[in-house]
Amino acid sequence: QVQVVESGGGLVQPGGSLRLSCTASGDIFSIVHMAWFRQAPGKDREFVARYEWSTRSPNYSDSVKGRFTISRGDAEATVYLRVNSLKPEDTAVYYCNTRGYLTSSENFDFWGQGTQVTVSS
């Protein structure tokens, strides 16, 4: 019903930058939020950033605040994550989570397949 697709990951040197993209498509009535999580090898998935659609407000985890920026794209149901000053500990698979409504009362919560970010010299 709803497809969530991430892109933009890759291999980058420490201190480098990337822009990750996430687009949700399908029979979407409205979006509540689009968020980024990440999961490093052997670790639990952790929250990175979230963009609230109604208030147009971003939220960040303390570990990325000041280095990462989440923004809403011009296209419907698109969000970006600009990741700056990357550190080796930012290496992870980055996942996009989208929550919203299929109708005025039926909600949804979907994840994308993830995009790999590797920070290494």
Side-chain angles (χ1 to χ4, degrees):
Q1 290 175 316
V2 176
Q3 295 79 42
V4 179
V5 179
E6 306 99 331
S7 63
L11 173 64
V12 63
Q13 292 185 341
S17 299
L18 287 171
R19 190 180 79 158
L20 309 183
S21 300
C22 173
T23 298
S25 60
D27 296 327
I28 298 172
F29 178 73
S30 65
I31 299 288
V32 173
H33 74 231
M34 296 183 76
W36 289 95
F37 289 72
R38 67 185 181 185
Q39 188 166 18
K43 295 188 177 181
D44 293 333
R45 190 172 297 188
E46 65 171 353
F47 168 76
V48 173
R50 179 175 61 246
Y51 192 93
E52 298 286 348
W53 237 243
S54 62
T55 60
R56 296 181 176 267
S57 60
N59 293 281
Y60 300 95
S61 70
D62 289 341
S63 63
V64 307
K65 197 173 294 183
R67 297 190 298 124
F68 291 11
T69 302
I70 189 169
S71 60
R72 179 175 172 176
D74 291 333
E76 193 64 27
T78 296
V79 69
Y80 303 105
L81 185 69
R82 178 72 179 181
V83 295
N84 294 327
S85 304
L86 283 163
K87 307 174 183 179
E89 51 264 41
D90 293 318
T91 295
V93 179
Y94 284 70
Y95 296 92
C96 181
N97 170 254
T98 302
R99 292 187 180 182
Y101 288 88
L102 299 173
T103 67
S104 60
S105 59
E106 183 182 4
N107 59 11
F108 71 83
D109 184 341
F110 284 97
W111 293 85
Q113 293 299 306
T115 185
Q116 175 72 47
V117 172
T118 302
V119 185
S120 175
S121 56

